[in-house]
């Protein structure tokens, strides 16, 4: 059983061994290679993913075929196209491995069973969703009120390891700047 899942959950709620065994029984483990997709636009979204190891990018592609990086997901993060996951509709985004990646997968049915079967997990998922929402709001505000240099500095401060693991072209896309602008910002 991956210890990092238990440690991750126990940052919010304590679990007995029996409770963790119940939680873990609702996940399956999958491994993906670099450049493989966990979710592709237009496909049904079967899982929410907890990243054990590796790095992912969540991408929205607009009607002009331009990719917009919504997020990067590192170890100990949860990721999916959550709109499609919770509404059981087709994905509007793609989730791709930037490194070889191992994840724990949870279906919507298992998510609901976890919440119904162990009230602590309902609280855990609520807190994770709340902080994810707050992070999204902060990113929107930053996008609207900060210049590219300030956004780059915020990214460096929040996720210093990301800069070492993600190609500069993807960091530039995430920040909404050109590769050349990013080179000027990082020098």
């Amino acid at each position: 059983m991956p210890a990092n899942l238990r440690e991750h959950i126990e940052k919010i709620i304590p679990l007995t061994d029996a409770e963790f065994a119940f939680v873990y029984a609702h996940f399956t483990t999958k491994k993906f290679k670099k450049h493989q997709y966990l979710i592709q636009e237009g496909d049904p979204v079967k899982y929410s993913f907890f990243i054990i190891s590796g790095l992912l990018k969540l991408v929205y592609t607009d009607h002009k075929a331009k990719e917009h990086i919504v997020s990067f997901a590192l170890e100990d993060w949860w990721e999916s196209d959550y709109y499609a996951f919770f509404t059981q509709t087709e994905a509007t985004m793609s989730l791709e491995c930037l490194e070889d990646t191992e994840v724990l997968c949870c279906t919507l049915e298992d998510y609901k069973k976890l919440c119904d079967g162990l009230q602590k997990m309902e609280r855990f998922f609520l807190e994770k969703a709340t902080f994810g929402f707050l992070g999204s709001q902060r990113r929107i505000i930053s996008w609207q009120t900060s210049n590219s240099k300030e956004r780059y500095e915020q990214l460096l401060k929040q996720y210093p390891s990301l800069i070492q693991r993600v190609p500069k072209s993807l960091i530039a896309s995430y920040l909404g700047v050109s590769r050349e602008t990013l080179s000027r910002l990082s020098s």
Side-chain angles (χ1 to χ4, degrees), residues 4-17:
N4 57 342
L5 176 64
R6 185 168 186 168
E7 291 168 9
H8 177 77
I9 293 169
E10 287 188 333
K11 289 177 188 172
I12 298 172
I13 57 165
L15 293 173
T16 66
D17 290 344

Side-chain angles (χ1 to χ4, degrees), residues 144-181:
Q144 293 175 333
T145 62
S146 302
N147 63 38
S148 53
K149 182 166 183 58
E150 291 166 334
R151 288 195 305 271
Y152 177 69
E153 289 169 353
Q154 287 172 341
L155 183 65
L156 280 175
K157 185 179 176 183
Q158 272 189 296
Y159 310 109
S161 69
L162 197 61
I163 304 301
Q164 307 305 317
R165 295 171 69 181
V166 176
K168 287 189 176 190
S169 59
L170 296 181
I171 296 290
S173 175
Y174 177 77
L175 294 171
V177 299
S178 69
R179 175 88 162 75
E180 295 75 24
T181 299

